[in-house]
Amino acid sequence: MGRSYSAARSGGAVVIQDVTDITHPLPLGRAEQSSGALWSVHTPRGLLAGRTDGTLHAIAALREVTWPPRDPGPQGG
């Protein structure tokens, strides 16, 4: 089963949450429009996670910062 995300406009920014468990949404951060079509993506603690031109890329950047990378392949050899 995949993960579910929400993105909602709040005070000029887009607030992004992981809502896979609707009883405990996990804030991933926010994207704020910086210059032109670019958005500055910030973690919930305000750290800059990167810049992007789309919400999907912002979600991917925040997911990468929030959770360590995982190898989805089988373990062992």
Side-chain angles (χ1 to χ4, degrees):
M1 187 159 114
R3 303 207 71 79
S4 297
Y5 300 95
S6 75
R9 173 88 56 189
S10 174
V14 176
V15 177
I16 302 167
Q17 293 184 331
D18 181 333
V19 292
T20 304
D21 178 356
I22 61 170
T23 63
H24 185 67
L26 177 66
L28 294 180
R30 57 192 296 125
E32 298 172 343
Q33 196 163 18
S34 53
S35 62
L38 291 179
W39 292 77
S40 294
V41 181
H42 298 272
T43 67
R45 295 182 184 211
L47 299 173
L48 181 64
R51 287 186 171 67
T52 183
D53 60 352
T55 306
L56 181 59
H57 292 135
I59 292 171
L62 290 169
R63 191 257 179 236
E64 184 176 348
V65 169
T66 305
W67 290 300
R70 289 180 251 165
D71 180 9
Q75 299 297 317

Coordinates of all heavy atoms in Angstrom, one line a residue:
M1 N 0.8 -1.2 0.0 CA 0.0 0.0 0.0 C 0.9 1.2 0.0 O 1.9 1.3 0.7 CB -0.9 0.0 1.2 CG -1.9 1.0 1.2 SD -3.3 0.6 2.3 CE -3.1 1.8 3.5
G2 N 0.5 2.2 -0.8 CA 1.3 3.4 -0.9 C 1.0 4.5 0.2 O 0.1 4.3 1.0
R3 N 1.7 5.5 0.1 CA 1.5 6.6 1.1 C 0.6 7.7 0.5 O 0.5 7.8 -0.8 CB 2.9 7.3 1.4 CG 3.8 6.2 2.0 CD 4.8 6.8 2.9 NE 4.4 7.2 4.2 CZ 4.1 6.4 5.2 NH1 4.2 5.1 5.1 NH2 3.7 6.9 6.3
S4 N -0.1 8.4 1.3 CA -1.0 9.5 0.9 C -0.5 10.8 1.4 O -0.1 10.9 2.6 CB -2.5 9.2 1.4 OG -2.9 8.0 0.8
Y5 N -0.7 11.8 0.6 CA -0.2 13.2 1.0 C -1.3 14.2 0.8 O -2.1 14.0 -0.1 CB 1.1 13.6 0.1 CG 2.2 12.6 0.3 CD1 2.4 11.6 -0.6 CD2 3.1 12.7 1.4 CE1 3.4 10.7 -0.4 CE2 4.1 11.9 1.5 CZ 4.3 10.8 0.6 OH 5.3 9.9 0.8
S6 N -1.2 15.3 1.5 CA -2.1 16.4 1.3 C -1.2 17.6 1.1 O -0.2 17.8 1.7 CB -3.1 16.6 2.5 OG -2.4 17.2 3.6
A7 N -1.7 18.5 0.3 CA -1.0 19.8 0.1 C -2.1 20.9 0.1 O -3.1 20.8 -0.6 CB -0.3 19.8 -1.2
A8 N -2.0 21.8 1.1 CA -3.0 22.8 1.3 C -2.4 24.2 1.3 O -1.3 24.4 2.0 CB -3.8 22.6 2.5
R9 N -3.0 25.2 0.7 CA -2.5 26.6 0.7 C -2.8 27.1 2.1 O -3.9 27.0 2.7 CB -3.3 27.4 -0.3 CG -3.0 28.8 -0.3 CD -1.9 29.3 -1.1 NE -1.9 29.0 -2.5 CZ -0.8 29.2 -3.2 NH1 0.2 29.8 -2.7 NH2 -0.8 28.9 -4.5
S10 N -1.8 27.8 2.7 CA -1.9 28.4 4.0 C -1.0 29.6 4.1 O 0.3 29.5 4.1 CB -1.5 27.4 5.1 OG -1.5 28.0 6.4
G11 N -1.5 30.8 4.1 CA -0.8 32.0 4.3 C 0.3 32.3 3.2 O 1.4 32.6 3.5
G12 N 0.0 31.9 1.9 CA 0.9 32.1 0.8 C 1.9 31.0 0.6 O 2.7 31.1 -0.3
A13 N 1.8 30.0 1.4 CA 2.6 28.8 1.3 C 1.8 27.6 1.0 O 0.6 27.6 1.3 CB 3.5 28.6 2.5
V14 N 2.4 26.5 0.6 CA 1.7 25.2 0.5 C 2.3 24.3 1.6 O 3.4 24.0 1.7 CB 2.0 24.6 -0.9 CG1 1.4 23.2 -1.0 CG2 1.5 25.4 -2.0
V15 N 1.4 23.9 2.5 CA 1.7 23.0 3.6 C 1.5 21.6 3.2 O 0.4 21.2 2.7 CB 0.9 23.4 4.9 CG1 1.2 22.4 6.0 CG2 1.1 24.8 5.3
I16 N 2.5 20.8 3.4 CA 2.5 19.4 2.9 C 2.5 18.4 4.1 O 3.4 18.6 5.0 CB 3.7 19.1 1.9 CG1 3.6 20.1 0.7 CG2 3.6 17.7 1.4 CD1 4.8 20.2 -0.1
Q17 N 1.6 17.4 4.1 CA 1.5 16.5 5.2 C 1.4 15.1 4.6 O 0.9 14.9 3.5 CB 0.3 16.7 6.0 CG 0.3 17.9 6.8 CD -0.9 18.0 7.7 OE1 -1.9 17.5 7.5 NE2 -0.7 18.7 8.8
D18 N 2.0 14.1 5.3 CA 1.7 12.7 5.0 C 0.5 12.3 5.8 O 0.5 12.4 7.0 CB 2.9 11.8 5.5 CG 2.8 10.4 5.2 OD1 1.6 9.9 5.1 OD2 3.8 9.7 5.0
V19 N -0.6 11.9 5.1 CA -1.8 11.6 5.7 C -2.2 10.1 5.5 O -3.4 9.8 5.5 CB -3.0 12.5 5.2 CG1 -2.8 14.0 5.6 CG2 -3.1 12.5 3.7
T20 N -1.2 9.3 5.4 CA -1.4 7.9 5.3 C -2.2 7.3 6.4 O -3.2 6.6 6.3 CB -0.1 7.1 5.1 OG1 0.6 7.7 4.0 CG2 -0.3 5.6 4.9
D21 N -1.8 7.8 7.6 CA -2.6 7.4 8.9 C -3.4 8.7 9.2 O -2.9 9.6 9.8 CB -1.7 7.1 10.0 CG -2.4 6.8 11.3 OD1 -3.6 6.9 11.4 OD2 -1.7 6.4 12.3
I22 N -4.7 8.7 8.9 CA -5.5 9.9 9.0 C -5.7 10.3 10.5 O -6.0 11.5 10.8 CB -6.9 9.8 8.3 CG1 -7.7 8.7 8.9 CG2 -6.7 9.7 6.8 CD1 -9.1 8.7 8.4
T23 N -5.4 9.4 11.4 CA -5.5 9.7 12.8 C -4.3 10.4 13.3 O -4.3 10.9 14.4 CB -5.8 8.5 13.7 OG1 -4.7 7.6 13.6 CG2 -7.1 7.8 13.2
H24 N -3.2 10.3 12.6 CA -1.9 10.9 13.0 C -1.2 11.5 11.8 O -0.2 10.9 11.3 CB -1.1 9.9 13.7 CG 0.2 10.4 14.3 ND1 0.2 11.4 15.3 CD2 1.5 10.2 13.9 CE1 1.5 11.7 15.5 NE2 2.3 11.0 14.7
P25 N -1.7 12.6 11.2 CA -1.0 13.2 10.0 C 0.4 13.7 10.4 O 0.6 14.2 11.5 CB -1.9 14.4 9.6 CG -2.8 14.6 10.7 CD -2.8 13.4 11.6
L26 N 1.4 13.5 9.5 CA 2.8 13.8 9.8 C 3.1 15.0 8.9 O 3.2 14.9 7.7 CB 3.7 12.6 9.4 CG 5.2 12.9 9.5 CD1 5.5 13.1 11.0 CD2 5.9 11.7 9.0
P27 N 3.4 16.2 9.6 CA 3.8 17.4 8.8 C 5.2 17.1 8.1 O 6.1 16.7 8.8 CB 3.8 18.5 9.8 CG 3.8 17.9 11.1 CD 3.4 16.4 11.0
L28 N 5.2 17.4 6.8 CA 6.5 17.2 6.1 C 7.2 18.5 5.9 O 8.4 18.6 5.8 CB 6.3 16.5 4.8 CG 5.8 15.1 4.8 CD1 5.6 14.6 3.4 CD2 6.8 14.2 5.6
G29 N 6.4 19.6 5.8 CA 7.0 20.9 5.6 C 6.2 21.8 4.8 O 5.0 21.6 4.7
R30 N 6.8 22.9 4.2 CA 6.0 23.8 3.4 C 6.9 24.3 2.3 O 8.1 24.3 2.3 CB 5.6 25.0 4.3 CG 6.7 25.7 5.0 CD 6.2 26.7 6.1 NE 5.4 27.8 5.6 CZ 4.2 28.1 6.1 NH1 3.6 27.4 7.0 NH2 3.5 29.1 5.6
A31 N 6.2 24.7 1.2 CA 6.8 25.2 0.0 C 6.3 26.7 -0.1 O 5.1 26.9 -0.1 CB 6.4 24.4 -1.2
E32 N 7.2 27.6 -0.3 CA 6.9 29.0 -0.4 C 7.4 29.5 -1.7 O 8.6 29.2 -2.1 CB 7.5 29.8 0.7 CG 6.9 29.4 2.1 CD 7.7 30.0 3.3 OE1 8.8 30.6 3.1 OE2 7.1 30.0 4.4
Q33 N 6.6 30.2 -2.5 CA 7.0 30.7 -3.8 C 8.2 31.7 -3.5 O 8.0 32.6 -2.7 CB 5.9 31.4 -4.5 CG 6.2 31.6 -6.0 CD 5.0 31.8 -6.8 OE1 3.9 32.1 -6.3 NE2 5.1 31.6 -8.1
S34 N 9.3 31.5 -4.2 CA 10.4 32.4 -4.1 C 10.5 33.4 -5.2 O 10.0 34.5 -5.2 CB 11.7 31.7 -3.8 OG 11.9 30.7 -4.9
S35 N 11.1 33.0 -6.3 CA 11.2 33.9 -7.5 C 10.7 33.2 -8.7 O 11.0 32.0 -9.0 CB 12.7 34.3 -7.7 OG 13.5 33.2 -7.9
G36 N 9.9 33.9 -9.5 CA 9.4 33.3 -10.7 C 8.5 32.1 -10.5 O 7.6 32.2 -9.7
A37 N 8.9 31.0 -11.1 CA 8.1 29.8 -10.9 C 8.7 28.8 -9.9 O 8.2 27.7 -9.6 CB 8.0 29.0 -12.2
L38 N 9.8 29.3 -9.2 CA 10.5 28.4 -8.2 C 9.8 28.5 -6.8 O 9.3 29.6 -6.4 CB 11.9 28.7 -8.1 CG 12.8 28.4 -9.3 CD1 14.2 28.8 -9.1 CD2 12.7 26.9 -9.6
W39 N 9.9 27.4 -6.1 CA 9.4 27.3 -4.8 C 10.5 26.9 -3.9 O 11.3 26.1 -4.2 CB 8.3 26.3 -4.6 CG 7.0 26.7 -5.4 CD1 6.8 26.6 -6.7 CD2 5.8 27.1 -4.8 NE1 5.5 27.0 -7.0 CE2 4.9 27.4 -5.8 CE3 5.4 27.4 -3.5 CZ2 3.6 27.8 -5.6 CZ3 4.1 27.9 -3.3 CH2 3.3 28.1 -4.3
S40 N 10.6 27.6 -2.7 CA 11.6 27.2 -1.7 C 10.9 26.2 -0.8 O 9.8 26.5 -0.2 CB 12.1 28.4 -0.9 OG 12.8 29.2 -1.7
V41 N 11.5 25.0 -0.6 CA 10.9 23.9 0.2 C 11.6 23.9 1.6 O 12.8 23.8 1.6 CB 11.1 22.6 -0.5 CG1 10.4 21.5 0.2 CG2 10.5 22.7 -1.9
H42 N 10.8 23.9 2.6 CA 11.4 24.0 4.0 C 10.8 22.8 4.8 O 9.6 22.5 4.7 CB 11.0 25.3 4.7 CG 11.6 26.5 4.0 ND1 12.9 26.9 4.3 CD2 11.1 27.3 3.1 CE1 13.1 28.0 3.6 NE2 12.1 28.2 2.8
T43 N 11.6 22.2 5.7 CA 11.2 21.2 6.6 C 10.3 21.8 7.7 O 10.3 23.0 7.8 CB 12.4 20.5 7.2 OG1 13.1 21.4 8.1 CG2 13.4 19.9 6.2
P44 N 9.7 21.0 8.5 CA 8.9 21.5 9.6 C 9.7 22.4 10.6 O 9.2 23.3 11.2 CB 8.3 20.3 10.3 CG 8.3 19.2 9.3 CD 9.5 19.5 8.4
R45 N 11.0 22.1 10.6 CA 11.9 22.9 11.5 C 12.5 24.1 10.8 O 13.3 24.8 11.4 CB 13.0 22.0 12.0 CG 12.5 20.9 12.9 CD 13.6 20.1 13.5 NE 13.1 19.0 14.2 CZ 13.7 18.5 15.2 NH1 14.8 18.9 15.6 NH2 13.1 17.5 15.9
G46 N 12.1 24.4 9.6 CA 12.5 25.6 8.9 C 13.7 25.5 8.1 O 14.2 26.4 7.5
L47 N 14.3 24.3 8.0 CA 15.5 24.1 7.2 C 15.2 24.0 5.7 O 14.2 23.4 5.3 CB 16.2 22.8 7.6 CG 16.7 22.7 9.1 CD1 17.2 21.3 9.4 CD2 17.8 23.8 9.3
L48 N 16.0 24.6 4.9 CA 15.8 24.6 3.5 C 16.1 23.2 2.9 O 17.2 22.7 3.1 CB 16.7 25.7 2.8 CG 16.5 25.8 1.2 CD1 15.1 26.2 0.9 CD2 17.6 26.7 0.7
A49 N 15.1 22.6 2.3 CA 15.3 21.2 1.7 C 15.6 21.3 0.3 O 16.0 20.3 -0.3 CB 14.0 20.4 2.0
G50 N 15.4 22.5 -0.4 CA 15.7 22.6 -1.8 C 14.8 23.6 -2.4 O 13.9 24.2 -1.8
R51 N 14.9 23.7 -3.7 CA 14.1 24.6 -4.5 C 13.5 23.7 -5.7 O 14.2 22.9 -6.2 CB 14.8 25.8 -5.1 CG 15.1 26.8 -4.0 CD 15.8 28.0 -4.6 NE 15.9 29.1 -3.7 CZ 16.7 29.1 -2.6 NH1 17.4 28.1 -2.3 NH2 16.8 30.1 -1.8
T52 N 12.3 24.0 -6.0 CA 11.6 23.2 -7.1 C 10.6 24.0 -7.8 O 10.3 25.1 -7.4 CB 10.9 21.9 -6.5 OG1 10.4 21.2 -7.5 CG2 9.8 22.3 -5.5
D53 N 10.1 23.5 -8.9 CA 9.1 24.2 -9.7 C 7.8 23.5 -9.6 O 6.8 23.9 -10.3 CB 9.5 24.4 -11.1 CG 9.8 23.1 -11.9 OD1 9.8 22.0 -11.2 OD2 10.0 23.1 -13.1
G54 N 7.6 22.5 -8.8 CA 6.3 21.8 -8.7 C 6.1 21.2 -7.3 O 7.0 20.8 -6.6
T55 N 4.8 21.0 -7.0 CA 4.4 20.5 -5.7 C 4.9 19.0 -5.6 O 5.3 18.6 -4.5 CB 2.9 20.5 -5.6 OG1 2.5 21.9 -5.8 CG2 2.5 20.1 -4.2
L56 N 4.8 18.2 -6.6 CA 5.2 16.8 -6.5 C 6.7 16.7 -6.2 O 7.1 15.9 -5.4 CB 4.9 16.1 -7.8 CG 5.3 14.6 -7.9 CD1 4.6 13.8 -6.8 CD2 5.0 14.0 -9.3
H57 N 7.5 17.6 -6.8 CA 8.9 17.6 -6.5 C 9.2 18.0 -5.0 O 10.1 17.6 -4.4 CB 9.7 18.5 -7.4 CG 9.7 17.9 -8.8 ND1 9.5 18.7 -9.9 CD2 9.9 16.7 -9.3 CE1 9.6 18.0 -11.0 NE2 9.8 16.7 -10.6
A58 N 8.3 19.0 -4.5 CA 8.5 19.4 -3.2 C 8.2 18.3 -2.2 O 8.9 18.1 -1.2 CB 7.5 20.6 -2.9
I59 N 7.1 17.5 -2.5 CA 6.8 16.4 -1.7 C 7.9 15.4 -1.6 O 8.3 14.9 -0.6 CB 5.5 15.7 -2.1 CG1 4.3 16.6 -1.9 CG2 5.3 14.3 -1.4 CD1 3.0 16.1 -2.5
A60 N 8.5 15.1 -2.8 CA 9.6 14.2 -2.9 C 10.8 14.7 -2.1 O 11.5 13.9 -1.4 CB 10.0 13.9 -4.3
A61 N 11.1 15.9 -2.2 CA 12.3 16.5 -1.4 C 12.0 16.4 0.1 O 12.9 16.0 0.8 CB 12.5 18.0 -1.8
L62 N 10.8 16.7 0.5 CA 10.5 16.7 1.9 C 10.5 15.2 2.4 O 10.9 15.0 3.6 CB 9.2 17.4 2.2 CG 9.2 18.9 2.1 CD1 7.8 19.4 2.1 CD2 10.1 19.5 3.1
R63 N 10.0 14.3 1.6 CA 10.0 12.9 2.0 C 11.4 12.4 2.2 O 11.8 11.7 3.2 CB 9.3 12.1 1.0 CG 9.0 10.7 1.5 CD 10.0 9.7 0.8 NE 9.8 8.4 1.3 CZ 10.7 7.6 1.8 NH1 11.9 8.1 2.1 NH2 10.5 6.4 2.2
E64 N 12.3 12.8 1.3 CA 13.7 12.4 1.4 C 14.4 12.9 2.6 O 15.2 12.3 3.3 CB 14.5 12.9 0.1 CG 15.9 12.4 0.1 CD 16.6 12.8 -1.2 OE1 15.9 13.2 -2.2 OE2 17.8 12.7 -1.3
V65 N 14.1 14.2 3.0 CA 14.7 14.8 4.2 C 14.1 14.2 5.5 O 14.8 14.0 6.4 CB 14.5 16.3 4.2 CG1 14.8 16.9 5.5 CG2 15.3 17.0 3.1
T66 N 12.8 13.9 5.5 CA 12.1 13.4 6.7 C 12.5 12.0 7.0 O 12.7 11.6 8.1 CB 10.6 13.5 6.5 OG1 10.3 14.9 6.2 CG2 9.9 13.1 7.8
W67 N 12.5 11.1 6.0 CA 12.8 9.7 6.2 C 14.1 9.3 5.5 O 14.3 9.7 4.4 CB 11.7 8.8 5.6 CG 10.4 8.9 6.4 CD1 10.2 8.6 7.7 CD2 9.1 9.4 5.9 NE1 8.9 8.9 8.1 CE2 8.2 9.3 7.0 CE3 8.7 9.8 4.7 CZ2 6.9 9.7 6.8 CZ3 7.4 10.1 4.5 CH2 6.5 10.1 5.6
P68 N 14.9 8.5 6.2 CA 16.2 8.0 5.5 C 15.8 7.1 4.3 O 14.8 6.5 4.3 CB 16.9 7.3 6.6 CG 15.9 7.0 7.7 CD 14.8 8.0 7.5
P69 N 16.7 7.1 3.3 CA 16.4 6.2 2.2 C 16.4 4.8 2.6 O 17.1 4.3 3.5 CB 17.6 6.5 1.3 CG 18.6 7.2 2.1 CD 18.0 7.8 3.3
R70 N 15.5 4.0 1.9 CA 15.4 2.6 2.2 C 15.6 1.8 0.9 O 15.2 2.3 -0.2 CB 14.0 2.3 2.7 CG 13.8 2.8 4.1 CD 12.4 2.4 4.5 NE 11.6 3.7 4.5 CZ 10.4 3.8 4.6 NH1 9.6 2.8 4.5 NH2 9.8 5.0 4.6
D71 N 16.2 0.7 1.0 CA 16.4 -0.2 -0.2 C 15.2 -1.1 -0.3 O 15.0 -1.9 0.6 CB 17.7 -1.0 0.0 CG 17.9 -2.0 -1.2 OD1 17.2 -1.8 -2.2 OD2 18.8 -2.8 -1.1
P72 N 14.3 -0.8 -1.3 CA 13.1 -1.6 -1.4 C 13.3 -3.1 -1.9 O 12.4 -3.9 -1.9 CB 12.3 -0.8 -2.4 CG 13.3 -0.1 -3.2 CD 14.5 0.1 -2.3
G73 N 14.6 -3.4 -2.3 CA 14.9 -4.7 -2.8 C 15.0 -5.8 -1.7 O 15.0 -5.4 -0.5
P74 N 15.0 -7.0 -2.1 CA 15.1 -8.1 -1.1 C 16.4 -8.0 -0.4 O 17.5 -7.6 -0.9 CB 15.0 -9.4 -2.0 CG 15.3 -8.9 -3.4 CD 15.0 -7.5 -3.5
Q75 N 16.4 -8.4 0.9 CA 17.6 -8.4 1.7 C 18.4 -9.8 1.5 O 17.8 -10.8 1.2 CB 17.3 -8.3 3.2 CG 16.6 -7.0 3.5 CD 17.5 -5.8 3.2 OE1 18.6 -5.8 3.5 NE2 16.9 -4.8 2.6
G76 N 19.7 -9.7 1.6 CA 20.5 -10.9 1.5 C 20.9 -11.1 0.1 O 20.8 -10.3 -0.8
G77 N 21.5 -12.3 -0.1 CA 22.0 -12.5 -1.5 C 21.8 -13.8 -2.0 O 22.0 -14.3 -2.9

